[in-house]
Amino acid sequence: MAVCVAVIGKENYPLYLRTVSPEEELKFHYTVHTSLDVVEEKVSSLTKSSNDPRELYLGLLYPTEDYKVYGYVTNSKIKFVIVVESANTALRDNEIRTMFRKLHVAYTDMFCNPFYNPGENITSRRFEEAIQTQEIVNA
Amino acid sequence: MADVESLFEFVHMEIVAYFLNKPGKNVDNDVIQNLERLGFGVGQRLVERFTKDSGRFKDELEIMKYICKDFWTAVYKKQIDNLRTNHQGTYVLQDNNFQLLTQMSDGKQYTEDAPKFLAFPCGLIRGALSNLGLSCSVSADVLSMPKCKFQIVIPKS
């Protein structure tokens, strides 16, 4: 299970951020924001090399002492970032991948709501529930 | 199962008719703008859904190919017949038998009304491209009745 999930818009502003404990939210805002440079780097290096795997999942962005940060970018340039505790070694790459898939599905479902304006903060209750029930982040 | 394509076709006809008969200011351009805006929203959402499982696009041309093949097939059940580009941001997509025009006479009779039926598709393309990160302008022309051309211009920064 992750400690933080974030959805970042096209122009690199946060659309959604959820942490396990609300007190740490600011800290994770900072962590997520720092990871955007790495995301940018990975995406541009992927598009330049010709034999790219062309996957939406970017893998581990960078590890810190306490956390590991993973990234995912959709075709519409929406970034998903998941932060996992480094101590949590039970989580495999594959599980992170499925977490991103679920997150992406939840996001597209939310996006297809006709009352949602692209670029707005995500306030959908269903999106929130999807994140909780699928145990991406459980507060 | 019922014919799903005709469902969309009928709804689209009603939407065009609705905007045309809307009370109040009814300048021709206004109708087209409204339809275009509607298409934009739909295009954005469609593309978000359709590209969920496809790989990342390498460049502009690849996005265009995607629009011509997969996107067009998903919406209009056929591919674009001809894609041309000057490699400087202008693309011309030609459809020789455009779904929303096939039911009209192929003479000159309805040529005037045709642009109203192309505003929504224009918006659709623009919305799709904008969500894939290309802001552009899209315009449409009717050549001879079921044949039409969409011109996409991506301004170079």
Coordinates of all heavy atoms in Angstrom, one line a residue, chain A residues 15-16 110 116 120-128:
Chain A
L15 N -3.8 18.1 -9.4 CA -5.3 18.0 -9.5 C -5.8 17.2 -8.3 O -7.0 17.4 -7.9 CB -5.7 17.2 -10.7 CG -5.3 17.7 -12.1 CD1 -5.6 16.7 -13.2 CD2 -6.0 19.0 -12.3
Y16 N -5.0 16.4 -7.7 CA -5.5 15.6 -6.6 C -4.3 15.1 -5.9 O -3.3 14.7 -6.5 CB -6.3 14.4 -7.2 CG -6.8 13.4 -6.2 CD1 -8.0 13.7 -5.6 CD2 -6.1 12.3 -5.9 CE1 -8.5 12.8 -4.6 CE2 -6.6 11.4 -4.9 CZ -7.8 11.6 -4.3 OH -8.3 10.8 -3.4
M110 N -13.7 9.1 -14.2 CA -14.0 10.4 -13.6 C -14.0 11.5 -14.7 O -14.8 12.3 -14.7 CB -12.9 10.7 -12.5 CG -13.1 11.9 -11.6 SD -12.8 13.4 -12.4 CE -11.1 13.2 -13.0
Y116 N -17.5 17.5 -15.3 CA -16.1 17.8 -14.9 C -15.4 18.6 -16.0 O -15.5 18.2 -17.2 CB -15.4 16.5 -14.7 CG -13.9 16.7 -14.5 CD1 -13.4 17.2 -13.2 CD2 -13.0 16.4 -15.5 CE1 -12.1 17.4 -13.0 CE2 -11.6 16.6 -15.3 CZ -11.2 17.1 -14.0 OH -9.8 17.3 -13.8
E120 N -9.7 20.9 -13.9 CA -10.1 21.3 -12.5 C -9.6 20.3 -11.5 O -9.2 19.2 -11.8 CB -11.7 21.2 -12.5 CG -12.4 22.5 -12.6 CD -13.9 22.3 -12.6 OE1 -14.3 21.2 -12.3 OE2 -14.6 23.3 -13.0
N121 N -9.6 20.7 -10.2 CA -9.3 19.8 -9.2 C -10.3 18.7 -9.1 O -11.5 18.9 -9.4 CB -9.3 20.5 -7.8 CG -8.0 21.2 -7.6 OD1 -7.1 21.1 -8.4 ND2 -7.9 22.0 -6.5
I122 N -9.8 17.5 -8.7 CA -10.7 16.3 -8.7 C -11.4 16.3 -7.4 O -10.8 16.1 -6.3 CB -9.9 15.0 -9.0 CG1 -9.3 15.1 -10.4 CG2 -10.8 13.8 -8.9 CD1 -8.3 14.0 -10.6
T123 N -12.7 16.4 -7.4 CA -13.5 16.3 -6.1 C -14.4 15.1 -6.1 O -15.2 15.0 -5.2 CB -14.3 17.6 -5.9 OG1 -15.0 17.9 -7.1 CG2 -13.3 18.8 -5.6
S124 N -14.4 14.4 -7.2 CA -15.4 13.3 -7.3 C -15.3 12.3 -6.2 O -14.2 11.8 -5.8 CB -15.1 12.5 -8.7 OG -15.6 11.2 -8.6
R125 N -16.5 12.0 -5.7 CA -16.5 11.1 -4.5 C -16.2 9.6 -5.0 O -15.6 8.8 -4.3 CB -17.9 11.1 -3.8 CG -17.8 10.7 -2.4 CD -19.1 10.7 -1.7 NE -19.9 11.8 -2.0 CZ -21.2 11.7 -2.3 NH1 -21.8 10.5 -2.3 NH2 -22.0 12.7 -2.6
R126 N -16.7 9.3 -6.2 CA -16.4 8.0 -6.7 C -14.9 7.7 -7.0 O -14.5 6.6 -6.7 CB -17.2 7.8 -8.0 CG -17.2 6.3 -8.3 CD -18.1 5.8 -9.4 NE -19.4 6.3 -9.6 CZ -19.9 6.2 -10.8 NH1 -19.3 5.7 -11.8 NH2 -21.1 6.6 -11.0
F127 N -14.2 8.7 -7.4 CA -12.8 8.6 -7.6 C -12.1 8.3 -6.3 O -11.3 7.4 -6.1 CB -12.3 9.9 -8.2 CG -10.8 9.9 -8.6 CD1 -10.4 9.1 -9.6 CD2 -9.9 10.6 -7.8 CE1 -9.0 9.1 -10.0 CE2 -8.6 10.6 -8.1 CZ -8.1 9.8 -9.2
E128 N -12.6 9.1 -5.3 CA -12.1 8.9 -3.9 C -12.3 7.5 -3.4 O -11.4 6.8 -2.9 CB -12.8 9.9 -3.0 CG -12.3 10.0 -1.6 CD -11.3 11.2 -1.6 OE1 -11.1 11.9 -2.6 OE2 -10.7 11.3 -0.5

